[in-house]
């Protein structure tokens, strides 16, 4: 089986397992029913939903200096009728080992009004979709200290600290001070290009190199980019595609410009992957 066929087979298997998983296995406070049925009711019939296989989190550890594996997620990209966008990811295994273990809720991110809101518990998704700004303000325990956000599906990320409202000392209104704004995450947060599509200010399509044309080189080239807090591309590197096409794709990616991406009002760096397609008829 070719690499492409293996990838396609893994994608179909991963998406099927995620859709058939019981919602209660992803969040114990939700009902025991197939995730696909529950999710369809949550986002509504008029929402546009596209499923795909994606990389989630950093490389999985590999003993003895072996080549590292990449965690795999079944990812749903959703366009809501009100214009909000969302990505939701369910971890299913790794790209090398395939589907392993039980699927787990990895993360969901909602884009509303040019701001991003992270959903860290599946049970909060319905309320966040209805009013992300309001829900974010009502869940302070889940929004505290953005520098500590780790987007890997571990126990620390799926639970929230308890808050004892009776233990806080009483203060007068004169003594009360507004909370300091959270600091932006120090490392770029991975966001699907489908979510960022709505905030692109400038695009540039790559020119088809003459040398590549003479070699009859064509196909897709994927470029991983890092977008600064101001929306400019500060890093670009081709991660696959024909070698004769990679430089042209990277040069084009460096000229893309986005509106600043914010998480709860805080500008942040983000990482995404652009896909350029070179066809024999390209100019």
């Amino acid at each position: 089986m070719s690499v492409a066929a293996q990838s396609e087979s893994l994608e179909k298997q991963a998406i099927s397992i995620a859709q058939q998983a019981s919602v209660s296995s992803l969040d114990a406070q939700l009902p025991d029913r197939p995730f696909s049925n529950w999710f369809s009711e949550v986002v509504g019939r008029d929402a546009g939903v596209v499923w795909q296989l994606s990389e989630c989190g950093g490389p999985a550890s590999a003993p003895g200096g072996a080549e590292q594996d990449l965690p795999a997620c079944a990812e749903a990209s959703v366009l809501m009728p009100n214009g909000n966008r969302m990505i939701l990811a369910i971890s299913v295994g790794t790209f090398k080992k395939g589907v392993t273990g039980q699927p787990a809720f990895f993360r969901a991110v909602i884009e509303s009004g040019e701001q991003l809101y992270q959903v860290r518990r599946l049970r909060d998704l319905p309320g966040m979709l209805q009013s992300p700004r309001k829900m974010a303000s009502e869940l302070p325990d889940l929004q505290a200290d953005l520098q500590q956000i780790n987007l890997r599906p571990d126990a620390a990320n799926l639970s929230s600290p308890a808050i004892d409202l009776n233990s806080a000392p009483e203060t007068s209104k004169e003594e009360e001070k507004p909370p300091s704004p959270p600091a932006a995450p120090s490392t770029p947060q991975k966001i699907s290009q489908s979510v960022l599509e709505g905030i692109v200010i400038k695009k540039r399509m790559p020119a088809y190199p003459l040398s590549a044309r003479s070699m009859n080189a064509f196909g897709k080239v994927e470029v991983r980019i890092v977008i600064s807090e101001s929306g400019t591309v500060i890093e670009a590197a081709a991660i696959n595609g024909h070698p004769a096409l990679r430089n042209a794709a990277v040069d084009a990616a460096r000229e893309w410009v986005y509106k600043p991406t914010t998480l709860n009002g805080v500008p942040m760096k983000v990482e995404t992957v652009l896909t350029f397609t070179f066809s024999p008829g390209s100019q």
Side-chain angles (χ1 to χ4, degrees):
M1 183 182 295
S2 67
V3 174
Q6 289 177 345
S7 177
E8 182 179 0
S9 175
L10 175 59
E11 181 172 51
K12 290 182 178 179
Q13 186 180 10
I15 292 173
S16 175
I17 287 177
Q19 292 177 339
Q20 294 174 18
S22 170
V23 188
S24 61
S25 69
L26 304 176
D27 188 321
Q29 294 193 19
L30 292 175
D32 182 13
R33 53 185 303 207
F35 176 78
S36 58
N37 295 350
W38 177 87
F39 190 60
S40 295
E41 292 181 3
V42 169
V43 300
R45 295 181 177 179
D46 295 330
V49 182
V50 176
W51 284 88
Q52 63 183 358
L53 183 68
S54 71
E55 173 189 333
C56 50
S61 59
E67 186 178 352
Q68 292 181 319
D69 200 355
L70 292 173
C73 276
E75 181 180 276
S77 298
V78 183
L79 177 60
M80 303 295 294
N82 62 3
N84 290 350
R85 296 174 181 267
M86 177 185 68
I87 56 170
L88 180 144
I90 297 176
S91 62
V92 293
T94 71
F95 281 88
K96 285 187 177 181
K97 296 179 181 178
V99 175
T100 58
Q102 294 296 321
F105 174 65
F106 179 64
R107 69 172 176 185
V109 177
I110 299 171
E111 179 200 356
S112 176
E114 299 184 5
Q115 292 198 21
L116 299 181
Y117 299 90
Q118 181 171 284
V119 183
R120 297 179 63 190
R121 300 183 305 192
L122 193 57
R123 73 194 75 160
D124 298 326
L125 181 61
M128 290 288 286
L129 283 174
Q130 292 295 323
S131 182
R133 185 187 299 272
K134 180 180 178 182
M135 280 290 292
S137 65
E138 292 178 352
L139 296 171
D141 55 320
L142 299 182
Q143 305 298 332
D145 195 358
L146 292 180
Q147 287 184 320
Q148 298 303 317
I149 289 178
N150 176 5
L151 295 182
R152 297 187 184 185
D154 51 32
N157 225 18
L158 298 178
S159 61
S160 57
I163 297 179
D164 185 356
L165 297 178
N166 297 319
S167 64
E170 295 184 0
T171 59
S172 64
K173 291 185 178 180
E174 291 76 17
E175 294 174 339
E176 292 180 354
K177 296 181 179 180
S180 300
S186 56
T187 57
Q189 303 300 299
K190 294 183 178 180
I191 305 292
S192 292
Q193 175 58 22
S194 58
V195 171
L196 297 177
E197 186 66 31
I199 61 172
V200 178
I201 297 176
K202 175 186 175 184
K203 293 182 179 181
R204 183 201 152 190
M205 295 298 106
Y208 199 148
L210 293 177
S211 57
R213 191 186 300 276
S214 65
M215 297 169 58
N216 196 29
F218 59 90
K220 293 183 178 181
V221 178
E222 292 185 334
V223 180
R224 178 178 284 119
I225 62 172
V226 174
I227 305 166
S228 71
E229 292 87 346
S230 63
T232 58
V233 175
I234 55 176
E235 295 181 26
I239 55 177
N240 62 43
H242 196 286
L245 301 171
R246 292 191 175 197
N247 286 342
V250 169
D251 289 343
R254 290 186 183 277
E255 295 191 26
W256 283 49
V257 180
Y258 296 78
K259 295 179 182 178
T261 303
T262 60
L263 179 60
N264 300 331
V266 181
M268 66 175 186
K269 292 180 182 178
V270 296
E271 176 183 319
T272 192
V273 175
L274 296 177
T275 302
F276 298 105
T277 301
F278 295 83
S279 62
S282 299
Q283 299 297 319

